[in-house]
Amino acid sequence: MLYQAEAYIVNWIGRLPDITITELAEHLKKTPSACSQIVRKLVDKGLVIQERNPQNKRIYNLRLTEEGQMAYRDHVAFNEYCQRITFDM
C-alpha cells in the first residue's frame, strides 16, 4: 500500500531517475527532511534505492527498484484512466 505522498515521490523518481532528495524537495515544495523521511519509508518497502553519487559522495541519487518500477507504471496507468473518465464526462 502506498500513501499519496509516497506515490508522488515514486512518480518523480520514475520520471527523473537519479534525482536527489534536494531536487525532489524543490519539485514537491517540501523540506528535504520531509522528503528524506518518505524516501526512507519507500526504501524500507523495497521500492527505492539510494546510491552515492560518484562525483560527490555527500549526495545520494534515487532510483526505483523493479518493484518500484511496477508501482510507477501502475500509478501512471491509473492517472491516465482517471483522466479518460474525466474527459469523457
Side-chain angles (χ1 to χ4, degrees):
M1 178 169 110
L2 280 182
Y3 294 100
Q4 187 175 16
E6 294 171 338
Y8 282 140
I9 288 181
V10 166
N11 188 46
W12 275 102
I13 297 170
R15 289 173 46 201
L16 299 169
D18 290 329
I19 192 170
T20 66
I21 295 277
T22 302
E23 293 166 338
L24 196 56
E26 289 170 5
H27 286 294
L28 295 172
K29 310 253 187 293
K30 293 184 179 282
T31 65
S33 176
C35 289
S36 183
Q37 288 177 12
I38 297 169
V39 166
R40 197 172 314 116
K41 290 177 185 177
L42 292 169
V43 169
D44 291 344
K45 289 182 178 185
L47 300 175
V48 172
I49 55 172
Q50 292 178 291
E51 292 183 326
R52 277 200 194 272
N53 183 302
Q55 285 79 35
N56 184 342
K57 300 293 184 192
R58 296 181 319 151
I59 296 174
Y60 285 91
N61 295 102
L62 306 174
R63 285 197 207 118
L64 298 177
T65 63
E66 213 167 295
E67 191 174 343
Q69 286 286 346
M70 287 177 20
Y72 170 68
R73 285 190 298 267
D74 289 347
H75 180 66
V76 169
F78 179 72
N79 280 343
E80 288 172 357
Y81 170 76
C82 290
Q83 285 177 349
R84 272 190 305 250
I85 290 173
T86 302
F87 292 142
D88 288 345
M89 291 179 166

